[in-house]
């Protein structure tokens, strides 16, 4: 990679109709210049593009709109945080080209094409607030850029192992699944948490500066661009790669203590319980609400108890959630039993014992998905059954820690490091041991 590549971002996927506006003129092959409000409507295997007064301008399986100098566009009702507790819809503004594609599911998909550095300026300000400390924003810019380049390279290679398996063993059902970003066929990345949050140009602030200052700089390991992962808050210890995805060791995605002190791993039941019920003095354990308001986007500030959290379900509620999310009948829920944990205490294999069926699920994101209406903050938790009889409890109490998969950069911890005077280089060396920084283009 010696020059800046373009990236294609799926902003809306398979919607019935997409409304928005062109600011400045956009050109389409075989049409007049476009300006002002538009609607794109799904019509089977074609997309119909209508102007502000509802007149049809074009119909085609894909419509590519190219901006003239300085032109931008907006899309209404863009979904963010899909299936997570912070889900909502907003109008977002974008730069670059806009393509409407007739989606596989009969809807219409909107794809934004733009240079990787412009994309990153939006990603950094969508993931974290543009008012966060500069050294942190630069670290986040380098991490996102590296992750993206590694993902594009991986996507170019054929996939080896399918990231999902369902097996039946002696009446038990095992569902092991992980989620990665090669899932998209019509574009490189989606605009949501599944890949990286990309919410257009409205929020940028200082983030754009951080991207410019680090332009073309990548995190590398022995000359190769790192698959640099990141998450909101590790909970005190970061996690190894294999807990969340394919069970391999990635040399720079290992567990580290998120502070100057070294803590023991939390990979057994006893150690996990002690760890998750304690409040170690680590970078991401901050409770400084003014500082969190500076670093987190507004909708993330609603997640106040990310470092240590507690959740109580009645048995009946949890049975309903598990049956709904796993699409399996479990009957009466007897027990939730962690079978394997990573070093941060995150569970990657969990047994759910019901009267009708026993389920074994993994990995961390699948566990978070199945045990919550939206998603649990993390899979680092201990469960206590309370009330009822010894066989049939009345409720389940979860004590958890951290927010996200825990692998790589802990965003809140990294922002605290920057506030305490650590440089971008020191922050990256802390979360990605043994890596270097290399500039590949300007
Ligand atoms: Zn995605
Ligand atoms: Zn942390």
């Amino acid at each position: 990679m010696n020059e800046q590549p373009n990236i294609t971002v799926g902003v809306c996927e398979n919607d019935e109709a997409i409304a928005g506006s062109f600011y400045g003129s956009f050109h389409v092959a075989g049409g007049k210049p476009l300006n002002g409000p538009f609607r794109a409507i799904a019509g089977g295997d074609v997309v119909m593009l209508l102007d502000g007064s509802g007149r049809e301008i074009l119909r085609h399986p894909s419509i590519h709109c190219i901006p003239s100098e300085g032109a931008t566009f907006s899309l209404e009702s863009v979904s963010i945080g899909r299936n997570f507790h912070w889900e909502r819809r907003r109008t977002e503004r974008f730069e670059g080209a806009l393509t409407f594609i007739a989606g596989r599911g009969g809807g219409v998909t909107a794809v934004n094409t733009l240079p990787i550095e412009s994309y990153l300026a939006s990603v950094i300000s969508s993931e974290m607030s543009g008012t966060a400390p500069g050294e942190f924003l630069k670290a986040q810019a380098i991490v996102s850029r590296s992750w993206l380049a590694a993902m594009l390279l991986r996507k170019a290679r054929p996939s080896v192992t399918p990231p999902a398996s369902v097996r039946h063993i002696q009446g038990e059902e095992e569902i092991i699944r992980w989620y990665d970003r090669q899932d998209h066929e019509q574009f490189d990345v989606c605009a949501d948490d599944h890949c990286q949050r990309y919410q257009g140009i409205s929020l940028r602030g200082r983030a754009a500066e951080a991207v410019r200052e680090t332009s073309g700089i990548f995190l590398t390991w022995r000359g190769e661009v790192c698959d640099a992962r990141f998450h909101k808050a590790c909970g005190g210890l970061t996690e190894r790669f294999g807990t969340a995805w394919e069970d391999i060791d990635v040399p720079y995605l290992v567990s580290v203590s998120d502070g100057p002190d070294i803590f023991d791993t939390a990979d057994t039941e006893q150690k996990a319980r002690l760890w998750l019920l304690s409040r170690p003095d680590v970078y991401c354990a901050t409770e400084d609400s003014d500082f969190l308001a500076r670093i987190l986007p507004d909708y993330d500030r609603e997640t106040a108890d990310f470092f240590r959290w507690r959740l109580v379900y009645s048995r009946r509620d949890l049975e309903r959630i598990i049956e709904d999310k796993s699409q399996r009948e479990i009957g009466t829920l007897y027990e939730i039993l962690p079978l394997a944990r990573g070093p941060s205490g995150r569970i990657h294999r969990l047994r759910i014992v019901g009267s009708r069926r026993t389920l074994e699920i993994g990995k961390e994101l699948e566990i978070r998905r199945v045990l919550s209406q939206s998603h649990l903050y993390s899979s680092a938790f201990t469960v206590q059954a309370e009330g009822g009889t010894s066989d049939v409890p009345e409720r389940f109490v979860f004590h958890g820690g951290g927010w996200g998969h825990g692998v790589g950069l802990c965003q809140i911890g990294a922002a605290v490091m920057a506030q305490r005077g650590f440089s971008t280089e020191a922050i990256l060396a802390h979360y990605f041991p043994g890596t270097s920084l290399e500039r590949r283009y300007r």
Side-chain angles (χ1 to χ4, degrees):
M1 188 181 307
N2 297 315
E3 58 183 81
Q4 186 181 162
N6 275 336
I7 186 152
T8 55
V9 191
V11 180
C12 304
E13 202 173 353
N14 251 319
D15 286 352
E16 264 173 49
I18 296 171
S21 215
F22 293 118
Y23 302 91
S25 66
F26 278 69
H27 300 270
V28 286
K32 290 191 298 227
L34 307 173
N35 212 321
F38 63 79
R39 268 168 76 77
I41 299 174
D45 48 11
V46 294
V47 178
M48 289 170 284
L49 185 61
L50 314 182
D51 67 14
S53 52
R55 262 194 310 267
E56 185 174 318
I57 307 167
L58 267 175
R59 81 167 55 198
H60 203 264
S62 81
I63 300 173
H64 189 51
C65 312
I66 299 159
S68 55
E69 179 83 36
T72 61
F73 64 92
S74 67
L75 296 176
E76 288 167 23
S77 216
V78 176
S79 174
I80 65 169
R82 197 169 298 164
N83 300 327
F84 284 87
H85 60 276
W86 57 88
E87 173 165 4
R88 64 207 57 199
R89 285 180 169 267
R90 307 208 293 204
T91 296
E92 310 281 4
R93 191 133 163 189
F94 303 91
E95 62 182 11
L98 171 63
T99 308
F100 298 106
I101 308 173
R104 298 267 147 71
V108 47
T109 293
V111 178
N112 181 198
T113 306
L114 74 169
I116 192 172
E117 296 292 329
S118 309
Y119 166 77
L120 283 169
S122 295
V123 164
I124 309 311
S125 51
S126 313
E127 286 281 345
M128 300 299 271
S129 169
T131 55
E135 291 300 293
F136 161 69
L137 289 173
K138 286 196 282 178
Q140 177 73 58
I142 293 167
V143 166
S144 290
R145 181 181 296 115
S146 305
W147 172 80
L148 200 63
M151 189 272 294
L152 293 174
L153 286 171
R154 211 166 48 244
K155 204 172 164 172
R157 292 188 212 120
S159 123
V160 200
T161 39
S165 71
V166 176
R167 287 197 297 167
H168 295 265
I169 314 156
Q170 297 173 341
E172 287 190 6
E173 194 171 353
E174 180 198 61
I175 306 166
I176 303 298
R177 195 177 274 160
W178 65 88
Y179 299 84
D180 223 328
R181 279 75 172 187
Q182 294 97 316
D183 313 358
H184 302 302
E185 288 179 24
Q186 294 183 311
F187 43 83
D188 296 322
V189 286
C190 69
D192 207 355
D193 293 83
H194 173 264
C195 290
Q196 304 196 76
R197 288 184 193 169
Y198 169 67
Q199 291 157 12
I201 56 182
S202 46
L203 295 164
R204 279 191 182 168
R206 289 230 309 273
E209 219 172 285
V211 171
R212 228 177 3 256
E213 278 176 41
T214 62
S215 167
I217 297 180
F218 292 84
L219 197 65
T220 60
W221 167 266
R222 296 185 181 166
E224 262 190 54
V225 173
C226 293
D227 183 5
R229 307 278 166 144
F230 59 91
H231 60 277
K232 275 274 132 62
C234 67
L237 290 161
T238 68
E239 190 47 75
R240 68 179 280 269
F241 179 84
T243 298
W245 299 285
E246 189 182 358
D247 196 14
I248 52 170
D249 285 312
V250 179
Y252 48 85
L253 296 177
V254 291
S255 181
V256 301
S257 293
D258 197 13
D261 299 327
I262 306 291
F263 293 95
D264 191 13
T265 54
D267 52 0
T268 67
E269 284 320 289
Q270 200 190 357
K271 288 198 283 181
R273 192 162 174 77
L274 281 172
W275 176 246
L276 294 168
L277 291 173
S278 69
R279 209 181 161 87
D281 181 19
V282 292
Y283 298 133
C284 63
T286 179
E287 286 179 292
D288 180 344
S289 54
D290 291 341
F291 179 67
L292 288 171
R294 265 181 64 206
I295 64 172
L296 294 175
D298 50 0
Y299 46 86
D300 274 347
R301 251 173 277 150
E302 296 158 18
T303 312
D305 53 349
F306 57 83
F307 187 70
R308 289 291 179 268
W309 45 269
R310 182 173 176 273
L311 188 64
V312 183
Y313 286 117
S314 74
R315 175 176 50 77
R316 287 185 183 284
D317 282 350
L318 194 50
E319 284 164 357
R320 256 196 305 275
I321 290 171
I322 293 169
E323 295 199 335
D324 175 46
K325 298 300 272 296
S326 71
Q327 295 291 299
R328 305 282 193 286
E329 249 183 83
I330 58 160
T332 305
L333 177 60
Y334 295 145
E335 201 181 6
I336 293 177
L337 195 66
L339 298 179
R341 293 180 185 268
S344 77
R346 283 174 173 78
I347 302 165
H348 56 93
R349 205 177 173 91
L350 182 83
R351 182 178 291 152
I352 298 170
V353 184
S355 59
R356 299 235 171 123
R357 184 186 258 112
T358 292
L359 282 178
E360 268 185 28
I361 58 168
K363 295 189 160 186
E364 71 90 29
L365 189 57
E366 184 67 359
I367 292 169
R368 290 164 61 195
R369 192 183 72 79
V370 169
L371 292 178
S372 163
Q373 211 80 262
S374 49
H375 277 76
L376 291 180
Y377 286 172
S378 83
S379 74
F381 57 79
T382 62
V383 198
Q384 233 174 315
E386 286 184 356
T389 65
S390 59
D391 285 346
V392 184
E394 201 174 287
R395 61 188 170 271
F396 291 89
V397 182
F398 288 64
H399 288 276
W403 181 6
H405 54 61
V407 181
L409 181 95
C410 167
Q411 292 175 309
I412 291 172
V416 170
M417 286 183 79
Q419 185 197 29
R420 295 190 190 171
F422 287 95
S423 66
T424 299
E425 291 77 9
I427 293 169
L428 294 173
H430 170 66
Y431 292 106
F432 302 96
T435 56
S436 315
L437 292 175
E438 278 177 41
R439 177 164 250 145
R440 295 284 172 97
Y441 60 78
R442 266 176 199 281

